[in-house]
């Protein structure tokens, strides 16, 4: 039996055909837009390693200027207090936005251990300097410029204590810091560089707390 086909409504078929052709063109245009966007993304991703390396280098250069200043200040403090040919050096590295810093100390070009140098006095002096530098970088409206130094002079010989206190007092005045120094050394070693001196004594009885008394005040 022969198969016969017929189109009952040619106008409807033409309308549907035109609609499908319009949809095809719209899909092709969207596809082309997506392909262009993908190409732009691929070109950007191809640049990413070089951009990241360049940003790391710029960060290292910028932070390097700050570290150079830190090196100079800490070296000055060590030489001024200990009267020895010591030099603070730093090794810095920036990778993917993370900064790694290593501190070291040299005496006439030879490395020395910071933690044990001069019986621990080098480490104490450097920790004072680093804390002052770190606090000075914080926004003043968010952080009070106040620092407590608990026996930072404990490893220093008595004759070197006034030198440390002189530097602390000078920096505090320059940066507008309030610094509380706790020390067991003789008051005569710190008196010249203290605005106020308090004495803290243990309680006399078990039911009492420690006593705090003002010994001297500069004003």
């Amino acid at each position: 039996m022969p198969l016969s086909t017929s189109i009952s409504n040619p106008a409807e078929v033409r309308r549907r055909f035109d609609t499908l052709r319009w949809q095809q063109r719209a899909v092709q245009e969207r596809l082309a837009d997506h392909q262009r966007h993908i190409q732009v993304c691929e070109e950007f991703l191809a640049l990413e390693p070089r951009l990241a390396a360049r940003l790391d280098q710029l960060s290292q250069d910028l932070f390097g200027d700050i570290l150079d200043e830190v090196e100079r200040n800490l070296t000055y403090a060590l030489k001024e207090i200990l009267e020895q040919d010591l030099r603070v050096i730093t090794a810095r590295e920036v990778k993917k936005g993370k900064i790694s810093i290593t501190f070291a100390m040299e005496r006439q070009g030879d490395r020395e251990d910071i933690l044990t140098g001069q019986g621990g006095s080098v480490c104490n002096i450097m920790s004072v300097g680093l804390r002052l530098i770190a606090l000075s970088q914080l926004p003043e409206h968010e952080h009070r410029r106040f620092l407590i130094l608990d026996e930072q002079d404990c490893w220093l010989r008595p004759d070197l204590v006034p030198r440390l206190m002189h530097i602390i007092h000078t920096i505090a005045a320059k940066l507008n810091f309030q610094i509380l120094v706790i020390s067991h050394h003789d008051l005569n070693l710190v008196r010249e560089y203290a605005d106020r001196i308090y004495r803290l004594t243990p309680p006399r009885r078990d039911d009492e707390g420690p006593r705090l008394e003002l010994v001297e005040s500069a004003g």
Side-chain angles (χ1 to χ4, degrees):
M1 183 175 180
L3 179 63
S4 62
T5 60
S6 62
I7 300 177
S8 59
N9 190 345
E12 177 63 21
V13 174
R14 170 58 64 181
R15 186 189 65 78
R16 293 181 60 188
F17 178 77
D18 291 340
T19 300
L20 291 174
R21 288 292 300 272
W22 177 84
Q23 291 177 345
Q24 180 187 29
R25 287 194 296 269
V27 170
Q28 289 174 336
E29 290 176 358
R30 289 200 300 272
L31 176 61
D33 288 339
H34 291 323
Q35 288 175 335
R36 286 192 293 269
H37 182 69
I38 290 172
Q39 183 179 358
V40 171
C41 292
E42 288 177 344
E43 291 174 354
F44 176 78
L45 291 175
L47 292 174
E48 192 275 337
R50 285 183 292 169
L51 290 174
R54 182 56 179 161
L55 287 174
D56 286 347
Q57 185 61 48
L58 289 173
S59 298
Q60 185 168 343
D61 292 342
L62 176 61
F63 203 74
D65 293 338
I66 298 175
L67 282 180
D68 290 342
E69 185 68 20
V70 170
E71 288 181 3
R72 286 192 292 270
N73 290 334
L74 292 179
T75 296
Y76 170 79
L78 290 179
K79 289 183 176 181
E80 184 73 11
I81 295 171
L82 300 177
E83 289 189 330
Q84 297 181 30
D85 186 14
L86 300 174
R87 178 172 174 261
V88 176
I89 58 175
T90 60
R92 71 290 302 257
E93 185 178 20
V94 182
K95 286 187 176 180
K96 295 182 179 180
K98 296 183 178 179
I99 300 173
S100 173
I101 306 170
T102 302
F103 285 87
M105 182 179 67
E106 288 185 351
R107 183 192 300 272
Q108 297 179 345
D110 296 326
R111 290 289 183 95
E112 288 194 10
D113 187 359
I114 290 178
L115 297 179
T116 60
Q118 299 295 301
S121 59
V122 168
C123 185
N124 279 15
I125 294 170
M126 288 186 60
S127 79
V128 172
L130 288 173
R131 276 183 278 180
L132 286 169
I133 292 169
L135 288 175
S136 68
Q137 302 302 308
L138 298 176
E140 291 189 55
H141 65 281
E142 295 180 2
H143 302 272
R144 180 181 176 185
R145 295 201 157 190
F146 177 76
L147 178 64
I148 297 177
L149 300 176
D150 187 4
E151 296 193 65
Q152 292 295 138
D153 57 358
C154 62
W155 297 109
L156 288 177
R157 299 196 317 263
D159 60 302
L160 300 179
V161 172
R163 299 178 185 176
L164 174 62
M165 295 304 170
H166 171 64
I167 288 183
I168 292 175
H169 186 270
T170 301
I171 295 176
K174 182 178 180 180
L175 299 179
N176 195 26
F177 265 85
Q178 184 180 14
I179 300 180
L180 173 61
V181 179
I182 300 172
S183 175
H184 282 88
H185 281 289
D186 189 280
L187 290 181
N188 292 323
L189 299 176
V190 301
R191 176 174 282 111
E192 182 180 356
Y193 306 107
D195 298 321
R196 294 184 185 87
I197 299 178
Y198 293 88
R199 179 182 289 114
L200 184 65
T201 55
R204 296 175 180 176
R205 301 196 309 263
D206 293 339
D207 59 345
E208 293 181 345
R211 292 180 299 141
L212 181 67
E213 59 176 317
L214 177 62
V215 178
E216 293 182 17
S217 176

